[in-house]
Amino acid sequence: DGHDILTGGVNAPDSVPAESTAVAYNLTVTATQISGFLTVSPGTATGVTASSINWSGDGQNLANGSIVGIDTSRQVRVFAGGGGSTDFVIDIVGYFL
């Protein structure tokens, strides 16, 4: 779903069609602390296979783009690791049928 940037409310339901198999996305981390990583995986994933973005200190703002498969509910799962923390945003920029 698409969400309003100010309220977080859904303003564009079902932006990714039900028959989609993957999405292209931009992942942004901000307000990082210490060092760490995020992994974006299909919604059925149970563990980390590779990092999608890494940070190495406090106060960094970083972005990375990639493609990830999605599950049948059109979901992805985000894993965090490395001991640090961050705020993050995922922007879907396309999908694959």
Side-chain angles (χ1 to χ4, degrees):
D1 294 337
H3 294 264
D4 182 277
I5 195 166
L6 298 176
T7 67
V10 174
N11 62 6
D14 299 326
S15 297
V16 176
E19 61 273 12
S20 299
T21 59
V23 292
Y25 66 89
N26 289 322
L27 174 64
T28 303
V29 295
T30 187
T32 60
Q33 294 183 353
I34 310 176
S35 63
F37 67 88
L38 295 179
T39 298
V40 180
S41 301
T44 57
T46 58
V48 174
T49 57
S51 65
S52 301
I53 195 164
N54 304 289
W55 64 93
S56 59
D58 294 344
Q60 294 180 323
N61 300 301
L62 305 165
N64 197 17
S66 191
I67 297 170
V68 64
I70 54 178
D71 68 14
T72 57
S73 298
R74 295 172 285 175
Q75 301 289 311
V76 298
R77 184 169 285 180
V78 178
F79 295 94
S85 64
T86 190
D87 295 329
F88 70 93
V89 175
I90 298 176
D91 293 311
I92 303 299
V93 296
Y95 54 84
F96 297 85
L97 298 174

